[in-house]
Amino acid sequence: MALFGKKNDDENKNIEQTDDLDALIMSAIEETDLEEQQLREEKIAKANERAEAMAKAREEALEREKKLEEMKKSLPNEGRRFFLVVEDQDGFETDVKIVGNLHGTMKVDDKVFIYKPDYKVTPAVVKEIEDCEGDESTKSSDPKSRRVTVTLAVPVPETIPEFSVVASSKPDTTGDKKIPAENPALLGLSMEYKRFSKEHKFTEALMTAILNGKFLVAGMPKEEQNADGKKALSLISLNDPRAKNGIMLPIFTDPAALAMWKELMKREKKPVVLVMDFKDAVKQTSAKSMDFIINPYGPAPMKLPREVIDRITNTPDFKNWASGLNERRKEDTNKSLATKIIIGELPTSPESEAVKKTLIRYCSGNPDVEKAGVAAKIHGKNSAYLFIIDCKAGKEKEIFTALFKEIKPLISDNRNIEFSLYKDTVFAEDYFSKHPIDYRK
């Protein structure tokens, strides 16, 4: 009996041990299942977070794209950038044909600015663009450029000098260094540097554009501060074993050229972008005797050795020129954009009232006229009635002739009559935003 009893005890003990082992195994399995479930839930949560982040990024990207498109619509010529260096011109009154290499996309009716070698600026409107037949490609630094003849409508008859630059970019008339740099004349000329670098007139125009330039320059903040309490900056240079001091300062004509420096924004510390005049850049780099390189990453890199910089800046003419640069730039640009003519409201008189009534009556009876206005134009000692007409394409000659016949008997002999299409009149929108238009369909 004792033996049987002991055996039962041993069996019971073994059963208990087996039960404990099973419970331990089951517990481990349950814990493993729980861990796996938690891992699955964490993976799902992380996947959801990634999906949400990607959706948010897509949404933000679409929003940025939408804002960019809206901004482009508000910019002149839909934000398109283009340049043409004038090599030849043939003008008739206020229509001027120019020949050159077109860099970028230009369209008919685009509003443009003509930057002359003396740094005067004239606004214009593109009337026609024709490819030059039988002409080899441009041989410029831009393989995408094409040889064209462009007809421009300019405010007054004038000659457009060789090596003027026709560009979409509007000139800065403020002189404010906080405004991002735009150097249309310099950028356009740099694209033709390889072709014309040995021509004296070209190099003169190029140096004028450089000396008058406002450039973007990158720097890194230092820990210490300047005497004025502002954080000190160290200009970012590029290595060049051929340079006098082994380094050169990269300077950029505009934000688009700076954006081509891809590595700049990948630095651990965020760089600072400064706007500098040429004379300020010379001053900031004089201690290290740096060379300059303009737009090193494109569209047309151009190096300026220190020997050339020092030779220019050490002349008395440069020192006289550099004083008051911002004020002179603003004054000269504003004067040139005044287009050398005065446009204003007609003085009230029986004659001017009769002219307006006749214009309104004629336009009301002609379905081809969309809108029309008349203003006083003074150019030197000459004065005229200027009729600005928006009409159906191809009908302008007929309308101008008919209006001339009706208006001529109403005015005195010392007043001229001039006609212009609304789309070709560079100041029309600005003028009629401040003065009521006489007729609108």
Side-chain angles (χ1 to χ4, degrees):
M1 295 291 293
L3 289 172
F4 281 109
K6 187 177 180 183
K7 184 177 180 183
N8 288 339
D9 288 343
D10 289 342
E11 286 178 356
N12 289 336
K13 191 174 182 180
N14 288 336
I15 291 168
E16 286 175 4
Q17 288 176 347
T18 302
D19 288 343
D20 289 342
L21 182 61
D22 288 345
L24 187 64
I25 292 170
M26 289 303 296
S27 174
I29 291 171
E30 286 174 3
E31 286 178 6
T32 303
D33 289 343
L34 184 60
E35 285 175 3
E36 287 179 355
Q37 184 180 348
Q38 286 174 342
L39 285 172
R40 283 197 298 272
E41 288 175 356
E42 285 175 8
K43 285 180 181 179
I44 291 169
K46 286 180 180 177
N48 288 336
E49 284 177 10
R50 283 197 300 271
E52 286 176 9
M54 289 174 66
K56 187 178 179 182
R58 281 196 298 270
E59 189 178 329
E60 288 174 351
L62 288 171
E63 187 64 28
R64 282 196 301 272
E65 191 175 333
K66 184 180 176 183
K67 286 181 180 178
L68 184 62
E69 289 302 316
E70 288 175 358
M71 185 186 74
K72 282 183 178 180
K73 288 177 184 177
S74 68
L75 292 172
N77 313 318
E78 305 159 331
R80 282 177 286 105
R81 291 168 62 82
F82 52 80
F83 308 88
L84 182 148
V85 176
V86 178
E87 297 174 38
D88 195 11
Q89 79 123 48
D90 180 22
F92 175 71
E93 294 185 353
T94 55
D95 283 357
V96 181
K97 287 184 181 291
I98 58 170
V99 177
N101 296 334
L102 176 60
H103 306 266
T105 304
M106 176 191 286
K107 296 181 181 179
V108 172
D109 294 335
D110 277 348
K111 293 179 180 179
V112 300
F113 296 90
I114 305 166
Y115 295 83
K116 298 177 184 177
D118 61 0
Y119 224 67
K120 299 295 188 295
V121 187
T122 296
V125 174
V126 178
K127 293 189 72 174
E128 191 177 5
I129 307 168
E130 301 172 277
D131 287 325
C132 293
E133 294 181 7
D135 214 325
E136 288 294 325
S137 188
T138 62
K139 297 181 182 177
S140 70
S141 59
D142 176 11
K144 294 181 181 178
S145 62
R146 60 190 178 109
R147 193 92 175 148
V148 294
T149 299
V150 179
T151 304
L152 298 175
V154 293
V156 293
E158 61 179 316
T159 300
I160 300 175
E162 185 182 20
F163 302 130
S164 297
V165 176
V166 176
S168 54
S169 304
K170 190 176 181 180
D172 172 25
T173 59
T174 65
D176 186 352
K177 288 188 179 182
K178 293 179 182 177
I179 295 174
E182 284 284 353
N183 295 271
L186 175 55
L187 190 54
L189 291 167
S190 71
M191 292 179 180
E192 302 296 338
Y193 180 74
K194 289 181 181 178
R195 297 177 62 214
F196 299 112
S197 60
K198 294 181 181 179
E199 293 197 25
H200 181 66
K201 281 186 178 180
F202 178 86
T203 54
E204 276 191 344
L206 182 67
M207 287 312 303
T208 300
I210 291 173
L211 294 177
N212 283 277
K214 275 198 327 182
F215 300 98
L216 296 176
V217 180
M220 295 299 295
K222 293 181 178 179
E223 293 301 323
E224 66 269 22
Q225 293 183 336
N226 290 324
D228 58 5
K230 294 180 180 178
K231 238 180 183 181
L233 289 172
S234 173
L235 297 181
I236 300 174
S237 59
L238 296 175
N239 294 324
D240 181 9
R242 295 167 297 176
K244 184 177 180 180
N245 199 30
I247 54 175
M248 54 187 177
L249 178 71
I251 61 178
F252 299 86
T253 55
D254 55 272
L258 177 62
M260 298 175 85
W261 190 359
K262 303 297 184 185
E263 293 78 16
L264 180 65
M265 294 303 171
K266 293 179 182 177
R267 293 170 174 254
E268 289 184 15
K269 290 185 179 179
K270 189 177 178 182
V272 175
V273 177
L274 310 170
V275 178
M276 273 191 192
D277 286 332
F278 177 78
K279 63 182 178 66
D280 292 333
V282 170
K283 183 179 177 181
Q284 293 292 329
T285 56
S286 59
K288 293 185 178 180
S289 194
M290 287 188 191
D291 291 357
F292 289 172
I293 183 161
I294 301 171
N295 296 341
Y297 302 97
M302 194 165 51
K303 190 173 178 182
L304 200 59
R306 194 71 197 191
E307 290 82 355
V308 174
I309 296 169
D310 290 341
R311 200 157 56 238
I312 294 167
T313 55
N314 287 331
T315 62
D317 286 345
F318 176 82
K319 290 170 183 174
N320 292 333
W321 168 88
S323 61
L325 172 62
N326 283 343
E327 291 75 14
R328 189 171 61 256
R329 182 196 287 122
K330 179 180 176 182
E331 182 182 352
D332 288 349
T333 305
N334 280 328
K335 278 182 180 176
S336 61
L337 286 176
T339 69
K340 305 168 192 170
I341 57 177
I342 299 171
I343 302 294
E345 284 193 62
L346 293 177
T348 303
S349 70
E351 180 180 295
S352 64
E353 289 302 313
V355 167
K356 284 186 177 183
K357 286 179 181 178
T358 303
L359 173 66
I360 294 167
R361 178 177 51 78
Y362 173 81
C363 294
S364 300
N366 190 327
D368 293 326
V369 179
E370 293 294 326
K371 55 180 180 271
V374 58
K377 174 183 172 182
I378 301 171
H379 181 209
K381 295 180 180 179
N382 301 319
S383 62
Y385 284 98
L386 176 61
F387 293 89
I388 303 170
I389 312 292
D390 183 12
C391 64
K392 188 176 178 181
K395 293 289 184 177
E396 56 269 25
K397 188 174 181 181
E398 175 189 323
I399 291 168
F400 292 174
T401 302
L403 267 174
F404 182 85
K405 288 179 179 177
E406 297 223 15
I407 298 293
K408 185 62 178 173
L410 304 175
I411 66 173
S412 54
D413 293 336
N414 62 337
R415 298 292 292 275
N416 297 322
I417 298 174
E418 294 183 18
F419 295 95
S420 177
L421 284 173
Y422 194 97
K423 68 183 181 67
D424 294 341
T425 309
V426 292
F427 51 81
E429 286 185 12
D430 181 60
Y431 177 79
F432 288 119
S433 69
K434 298 168 185 173
H435 305 87
I437 197 162
D438 297 292
Y439 171 77
R440 193 181 294 273
K441 190 172 178 180

